[in-house]
Amino acid sequence: MLITPAYAQAAPAAGGTDMLMSLLPFVLIFVIMYFLILRPQQKKVKAHQEMVKSIRRGDTVVTSGGLIGKVARVIDDSEIELQLSEGVKIRQLRGMISEVRAKGEPAKEDTES
């Protein structure tokens, strides 16, 4: 035979270090995935939220559907009103804004009634 009976009857090695060594690659893979994928994605989401919060009247924005318009009015925390052209206004969710093209100065409110 190729294997002697002495090797077959040997006691197994210590289980604690063997288990740690088998889990080490999984831990390393998780750490690498965190720094390469999860962390940059979290930064991107945070930057988008900041951009959406800072939208104000007069900004030129691009929606996720590809429409380009100027913010005519901020309705509330979740909606804005976009002016696409003269006389064409739409309501848009803030979360669906993909890009702010130009920061505009907010228009003066008419206080005359």
Side-chain angles (χ1 to χ4, degrees):
M1 286 191 142
L2 297 175
I3 301 175
T4 62
Y7 286 121
Q9 295 175 358
T17 58
D18 188 35
M19 188 175 91
L20 180 65
M21 293 304 284
S22 66
L23 289 178
L24 187 63
F26 293 112
V27 171
L28 288 174
I29 288 172
F30 179 74
V31 169
I32 290 170
M33 293 287 282
Y34 176 76
F35 283 107
L36 291 180
I37 296 173
L38 296 175
R39 194 161 180 238
Q41 185 66 25
Q42 289 172 346
K43 285 184 178 181
K44 192 174 185 181
V45 166
K46 189 174 182 179
H48 183 262
Q49 287 175 347
E50 289 297 319
M51 178 196 66
V52 167
K53 284 181 185 176
S54 68
I55 291 175
R56 60 186 186 161
R57 188 173 173 190
D59 293 350
T60 302
V61 296
V62 179
T63 67
S64 60
L67 297 174
I68 300 173
K70 188 174 259 189
V71 177
R73 174 170 72 120
V74 177
I75 297 171
D76 57 17
D77 289 340
S78 63
E79 290 184 22
I80 59 173
E81 188 174 281
L82 293 179
Q83 181 176 357
L84 301 178
S85 66
E86 282 298 317
V88 179
K89 292 184 180 180
I90 62 169
R91 290 174 73 164
Q92 179 74 35
L93 291 174
R94 279 185 182 234
M96 295 292 117
I97 300 296
S98 62
E99 177 183 357
V100 176
R101 285 268 174 107
K103 286 291 207 182
E105 290 298 319
K108 300 269 184 189
E109 289 288 329
D110 289 334
T111 57
E112 298 175 21
S113 298

